[in-house]
């Protein structure tokens, strides 16, 4: 059987990419090669771009896979093609350049450079860090509990959000827990963050045996930690459909509420890249409403927030 080429030229979105080290095995436990990783991102690119485009991206880079050197990167890497969109983001430390994943070509360019995990904030470069257009809650199971309890807590959190006119969308994190996203009409960072924290604290107050809103790891055993802090402008979350750099390849995968409700074992909502690509082919993007401006809602009035308890 002929050996597949280790290097290939590809024309994408009018740009020419030279893809390299295609036969490198990145995940030895499954034999997953760099070519397979690139193929996965090609398959889900249209859906993934809806949730990444316009947002300054950060990356987990792992050119040799999870068993090699791994680091979190914010600045554009050496070797990045000059046609990839880069935006300047202001911070207290000054202005810094960030890559924007706004096309299949730019996505593949970063993956080709070993950026296999993509993270984005809850705001766009156009709106700025004080105009959050979505909320995110990261439900993280502590020692002794798992994704099944996260799904139960997610259903309760969904109900509280619905009472405020907000619609939550579940996404399996690709690690141990579950993300809940809520599309918003742009809101100030402080307001979005305060609302998310207030809701997490309310959940902790109502279910102290199962929920904590406290960052300290000592508070987490036997409970689900509702991480509200990722709504700070400086924080990012693993983007929907991104690969996760884990011993076995996993994906941050959008799921339906029916699947969340029916979950009886963590494996029920654990997907390989191949399975996620197949789900997208069969179902489309079940997270499409998150990127639809018509689905966005206003945060409730701050006075009402204070009356919660």
């Amino acid at each position: 059987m002929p050996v597949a080429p280790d290097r290939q030229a590809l024309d994408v979105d009018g740009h020419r990419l030279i893809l390299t080290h295609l036969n490198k095995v990145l995940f030895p436990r499954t034999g997953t090669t760099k070519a397979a990783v690139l193929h996965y991102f090609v398959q889900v690119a249209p859906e993934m771009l809806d949730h990444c485009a316009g947002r300054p991206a950060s990356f987990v880079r792992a050119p040799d896979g999870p068993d090699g050197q791994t680091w979190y990167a914010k600045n554009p890497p050496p070797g990045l093609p000059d046609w990839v969109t880069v935006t300047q983001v202001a911070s207290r430390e000054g202005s810094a350049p960030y890559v924007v994943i706004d096309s299949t070509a730019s996505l593949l360019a970063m993956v080709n450079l070993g950026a296999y995990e993509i993270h984005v904030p809850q705001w766009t470069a156009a709106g700025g860090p004080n105009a959050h257009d979505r909320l995110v809650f990261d439900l993280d199971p502590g020692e002794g509990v798992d994704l099944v309890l996260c799904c139960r807590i997610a259903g309760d959190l969904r109900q509280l959000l619905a009472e405020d006119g907000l619609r939550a969308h579940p996404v399996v994190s690709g690690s141990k827990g579950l993300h809940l996203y809520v599309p918003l009409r742009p809101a100030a960072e402080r307001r979005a963050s305060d609302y998310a924290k207030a809701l997490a604290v309310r959940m902790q107050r109502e279910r102290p045996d199962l929920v904590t809103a406290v960052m300290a790891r000592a508070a987490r055993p036997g409970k689900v930690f509702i991480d509200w802090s990722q709504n700070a402008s400086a924080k990012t979350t693993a983007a929907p459909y991104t690969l996760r750099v884990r011993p076995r390849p996993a994906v941050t995968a959008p799921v339906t509420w029916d699947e969340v409700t029916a979950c009886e074992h963590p494996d029920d909502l654990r997907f390989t890249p191949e399975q996620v690509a197949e789900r997208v082919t069969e179902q489309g993007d079940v997270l499409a409403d998150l990127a639809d401006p018509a689905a966005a809602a206003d945060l409730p009035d701050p006075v009402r927030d204070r009356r919660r308890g």
Side-chain angles (χ1 to χ4, degrees):
M1 180 179 294
V3 177
D6 199 44
R7 180 183 177 95
Q8 182 177 342
L10 192 66
D11 291 319
V12 185
D13 299 330
H15 301 290
R16 190 166 182 80
L17 281 170
I18 306 297
L19 305 178
T20 59
H21 306 296
L22 296 176
N23 293 325
K24 178 185 288 186
V25 176
L26 298 177
F27 298 88
R29 291 163 181 80
T30 57
T32 304
T33 64
K34 184 178 179 182
V37 169
L38 283 159
H39 181 59
Y40 165 73
F41 278 107
V42 168
Q43 290 175 292
V44 301
E47 291 74 22
M48 187 172 183
L49 291 174
D50 281 345
H51 308 297
C52 291
R55 300 178 191 275
S58 302
F59 307 89
V60 176
R61 297 189 65 195
D64 296 315
D67 294 338
Q69 184 181 10
T70 300
W71 68 97
Y72 190 76
K74 295 183 179 181
N75 296 332
L80 186 71
D82 58 9
W83 45 260
V84 173
T85 301
V86 174
T87 188
Q88 292 290 323
V89 175
S91 69
R92 295 172 183 173
E93 292 76 31
S95 180
Y98 283 75
V99 171
V100 176
I101 301 298
D102 57 3
S103 67
T104 300
S106 59
L107 174 61
L108 295 186
M110 286 302 304
V111 174
N112 191 49
L113 292 171
Y116 303 130
E117 190 169 315
I118 300 164
H119 292 238
V120 291
Q122 314 316 319
W123 48 273
T124 65
N130 202 36
H132 289 224
D133 63 350
R134 62 194 191 192
L135 285 176
V136 65
F137 297 88
D138 182 5
L139 279 59
D140 185 18
E143 184 180 352
V145 295
D146 57 24
L147 180 61
V148 176
L149 182 57
C150 290
C151 289
R152 286 177 53 195
I153 300 304
D156 294 340
L157 192 52
R158 176 195 189 191
Q159 181 60 41
L160 293 182
L161 289 162
E163 291 172 5
D164 281 337
L166 302 174
R167 185 175 179 185
H169 300 273
V171 177
V172 178
S173 72
S175 181
K176 297 181 298 180
L178 190 72
H179 298 160
L180 290 188
Y181 283 99
V182 178
L184 296 178
R185 296 191 182 98
E189 173 195 9
R190 179 66 179 271
R191 189 173 178 201
S193 186
D194 284 354
Y195 174 80
K197 181 178 180 180
L199 210 58
V201 169
R202 179 181 176 184
M203 287 285 296
Q204 175 184 265
R205 185 169 61 246
E206 294 182 357
R207 298 304 305 271
D209 55 327
L210 297 178
V211 172
T212 181
V214 177
M215 296 283 180
R217 292 197 174 275
R220 302 187 193 181
K223 300 179 181 181
V224 170
F225 170 47
I226 300 179
D227 186 357
W228 47 268
S229 72
Q230 293 187 43
N231 296 286
S233 293
K235 295 288 189 75
T236 62
T237 307
Y241 295 105
T242 188
L243 202 71
R244 303 304 302 269
V245 179
R246 299 290 187 269
R248 291 178 178 272
V251 176
T252 305
V255 293
T256 68
W257 277 112
D258 284 346
E259 290 176 306
V260 170
T261 302
C263 181
E264 296 181 349
H265 189 279
D267 287 345
D268 293 343
L269 294 180
R270 185 175 287 131
F271 304 104
T272 66
E274 294 80 9
Q275 288 171 325
V276 173
E278 184 177 349
R279 285 166 62 88
V280 167
T281 298
E282 294 176 351
Q283 304 175 11
D285 183 12
V286 300
L287 193 61
D289 277 357
L290 183 64
D292 182 0
D298 289 318
L299 282 172
D301 185 87
V303 173
R304 184 183 172 192
D305 290 347
R306 288 195 294 270
R307 287 202 299 262
R308 286 177 177 275

